PDB file of all heavy atoms in Angstrom:
ATOM      1  N   HIS I 442     103.527  61.356  88.666  1.00  0.00           N
ATOM      2  CA  HIS I 442     103.333  60.620  89.891  1.00  0.00           C
ATOM      3  C   HIS I 442     103.956  59.254  89.812  1.00  0.00           C
ATOM      4  O   HIS I 442     104.727  58.818  90.708  1.00  0.00           O
ATOM      5  CB  HIS I 442     101.851  60.562  90.207  1.00  0.00           C
ATOM      6  CG  HIS I 442     101.512  59.674  91.349  1.00  0.00           C
ATOM      7  ND1 HIS I 442     101.831  60.017  92.683  1.00  0.00           N
ATOM      8  CD2 HIS I 442     100.869  58.437  91.437  1.00  0.00           C
ATOM      9  CE1 HIS I 442     101.450  59.051  93.477  1.00  0.00           C
ATOM     10  NE2 HIS I 442     100.837  58.076  92.757  1.00  0.00           N
ATOM     11  N   TYR I 443     103.649  58.501  88.759  1.00  0.00           N
ATOM     12  CA  TYR I 443     104.174  57.133  88.589  1.00  0.00           C
ATOM     13  C   TYR I 443     105.666  57.143  88.309  1.00  0.00           C
ATOM     14  O   TYR I 443     106.348  56.209  88.768  1.00  0.00           O
ATOM     15  CB  TYR I 443     103.390  56.393  87.508  1.00  0.00           C
ATOM     16  CG  TYR I 443     101.970  56.058  87.911  1.00  0.00           C
ATOM     17  CD1 TYR I 443     100.888  56.776  87.333  1.00  0.00           C
ATOM     18  CD2 TYR I 443     101.661  55.134  88.879  1.00  0.00           C
ATOM     19  CE1 TYR I 443      99.593  56.525  87.612  1.00  0.00           C
ATOM     20  CE2 TYR I 443     100.360  54.878  89.229  1.00  0.00           C
ATOM     21  CZ  TYR I 443      99.323  55.560  88.619  1.00  0.00           C
ATOM     22  OH  TYR I 443      98.004  55.281  88.991  1.00  0.00           O
ATOM     23  N   VAL I 444     106.145  58.140  87.574  1.00  0.00           N
ATOM     24  CA  VAL I 444     107.553  58.219  87.325  1.00  0.00           C
ATOM     25  C   VAL I 444     108.325  58.485  88.579  1.00  0.00           C
ATOM     26  O   VAL I 444     109.417  57.948  88.800  1.00  0.00           O
ATOM     27  CB  VAL I 444     107.824  59.292  86.255  1.00  0.00           C
ATOM     28  CG1 VAL I 444     109.339  59.594  86.159  1.00  0.00           C
ATOM     29  CG2 VAL I 444     107.327  58.867  84.882  1.00  0.00           C
ATOM     30  N   GLY I 445     107.750  59.305  89.471  1.00  0.00           N
ATOM     31  CA  GLY I 445     108.424  59.557  90.736  1.00  0.00           C
ATOM     32  C   GLY I 445     108.506  58.312  91.555  1.00  0.00           C
ATOM     33  O   GLY I 445     109.550  58.073  92.247  1.00  0.00           O
ATOM     34  N   ILE I 446     107.432  57.475  91.595  1.00  0.00           N
ATOM     35  CA  ILE I 446     107.485  56.252  92.362  1.00  0.00           C
ATOM     36  C   ILE I 446     108.601  55.317  91.816  1.00  0.00           C
ATOM     37  O   ILE I 446     109.368  54.734  92.558  1.00  0.00           O
ATOM     38  CB  ILE I 446     106.121  55.574  92.338  1.00  0.00           C
ATOM     39  CG1 ILE I 446     105.069  56.420  93.054  1.00  0.00           C
ATOM     40  CG2 ILE I 446     106.206  54.173  92.979  1.00  0.00           C
ATOM     41  CD1 ILE I 446     103.681  55.923  92.965  1.00  0.00           C
ATOM     42  N   ALA I 447     108.615  55.210  90.478  1.00  0.00           N
ATOM     43  CA  ALA I 447     109.634  54.320  89.868  1.00  0.00           C
ATOM     44  C   ALA I 447     111.051  54.837  90.100  1.00  0.00           C
ATOM     45  O   ALA I 447     111.976  54.068  90.369  1.00  0.00           O
ATOM     46  CB  ALA I 447     109.380  54.204  88.362  1.00  0.00           C
ATOM     47  N   ARG I 448     111.213  56.190  90.117  1.00  0.00           N
ATOM     48  CA  ARG I 448     112.552  56.718  90.343  1.00  0.00           C
ATOM     49  C   ARG I 448     113.010  56.459  91.771  1.00  0.00           C
ATOM     50  O   ARG I 448     114.159  56.153  92.000  1.00  0.00           O
ATOM     51  CB  ARG I 448     112.525  58.243  90.086  1.00  0.00           C
ATOM     52  CG  ARG I 448     113.926  58.911  90.186  1.00  0.00           C
ATOM     53  CD  ARG I 448     113.839  60.359  90.043  1.00  0.00           C
ATOM     54  NE  ARG I 448     113.421  60.800  88.728  1.00  0.00           N
ATOM     55  CZ  ARG I 448     112.275  61.403  88.472  1.00  0.00           C
ATOM     56  NH1 ARG I 448     111.408  61.658  89.471  1.00  0.00           N
ATOM     57  NH2 ARG I 448     111.945  61.775  87.243  1.00  0.00           N
ATOM     58  N   ASP I 449     112.083  56.552  92.745  1.00  0.00           N
ATOM     59  CA  ASP I 449     112.480  56.343  94.120  1.00  0.00           C
ATOM     60  C   ASP I 449     112.842  54.852  94.353  1.00  0.00           C
ATOM     61  O   ASP I 449     113.855  54.582  95.041  1.00  0.00           O
ATOM     62  CB  ASP I 449     111.295  56.694  95.049  1.00  0.00           C
ATOM     63  CG  ASP I 449     111.035  58.182  95.055  1.00  0.00           C
ATOM     64  OD1 ASP I 449     111.988  58.963  94.704  1.00  0.00           O
ATOM     65  OD2 ASP I 449     109.923  58.616  95.365  1.00  0.00           O
ATOM     66  N   GLN I 450     112.101  53.967  93.746  1.00  0.00           N
ATOM     67  CA  GLN I 450     112.455  52.552  93.874  1.00  0.00           C
ATOM     68  C   GLN I 450     113.767  52.203  93.246  1.00  0.00           C
ATOM     69  O   GLN I 450     114.579  51.459  93.791  1.00  0.00           O
ATOM     70  CB  GLN I 450     111.304  51.676  93.305  1.00  0.00           C
ATOM     71  CG  GLN I 450     109.984  51.784  94.059  1.00  0.00           C
ATOM     72  CD  GLN I 450     108.923  50.921  93.464  1.00  0.00           C
ATOM     73  OE1 GLN I 450     109.106  50.352  92.325  1.00  0.00           O
ATOM     74  NE2 GLN I 450     107.786  50.806  94.136  1.00  0.00           N
ATOM     75  N   THR I 451     114.015  52.753  92.047  1.00  0.00           N
ATOM     76  CA  THR I 451     115.314  52.513  91.364  1.00  0.00           C
ATOM     77  C   THR I 451     116.469  53.092  92.189  1.00  0.00           C
ATOM     78  O   THR I 451     117.519  52.460  92.228  1.00  0.00           O
ATOM     79  CB  THR I 451     115.247  53.183  89.945  1.00  0.00           C
ATOM     80  OG1 THR I 451     114.128  52.681  89.237  1.00  0.00           O
ATOM     81  CG2 THR I 451     116.533  52.871  89.199  1.00  0.00           C
ATOM     82  N   LYS I 452     116.250  54.239  92.747  1.00  0.00           N
ATOM     83  CA  LYS I 452     117.321  54.871  93.531  1.00  0.00           C
ATOM     84  C   LYS I 452     117.637  54.043  94.783  1.00  0.00           C
ATOM     85  O   LYS I 452     118.808  53.858  95.114  1.00  0.00           O
ATOM     86  CB  LYS I 452     116.856  56.301  93.967  1.00  0.00           C
ATOM     87  CG  LYS I 452     117.959  57.068  94.691  1.00  0.00           C
ATOM     88  CD  LYS I 452     117.450  58.474  94.993  1.00  0.00           C
ATOM     89  CE  LYS I 452     118.471  59.248  95.758  1.00  0.00           C
ATOM     90  NZ  LYS I 452     117.967  60.618  96.098  1.00  0.00           N
ATOM     91  N   SER I 453     116.632  53.489  95.429  1.00  0.00           N
ATOM     92  CA  SER I 453     116.886  52.636  96.594  1.00  0.00           C
ATOM     93  C   SER I 453     117.630  51.374  96.215  1.00  0.00           C
ATOM     94  O   SER I 453     118.511  50.937  96.945  1.00  0.00           O
ATOM     95  CB  SER I 453     115.557  52.323  97.288  1.00  0.00           C
ATOM     96  OG  SER I 453     114.717  51.570  96.425  1.00  0.00           O
ATOM     97  N   ILE I 454     117.283  50.786  95.081  1.00  0.00           N
ATOM     98  CA  ILE I 454     117.962  49.577  94.633  1.00  0.00           C
ATOM     99  C   ILE I 454     119.407  49.866  94.304  1.00  0.00           C
ATOM    100  O   ILE I 454     120.313  49.087  94.669  1.00  0.00           O
ATOM    101  CB  ILE I 454     117.222  48.981  93.411  1.00  0.00           C
ATOM    102  CG1 ILE I 454     115.854  48.463  93.796  1.00  0.00           C
ATOM    103  CG2 ILE I 454     118.047  47.844  92.787  1.00  0.00           C
ATOM    104  CD1 ILE I 454     114.976  48.023  92.634  1.00  0.00           C
TER     105      ILE I 454
END
Side-chain angles (χ1 to χ4, degrees):
H442 173 68
Y443 291 108
V444 169
I446 295 175
R448 186 186 294 114
D449 294 338
Q450 293 180 352
T451 304
K452 185 178 179 180
S453 63
I454 294 173

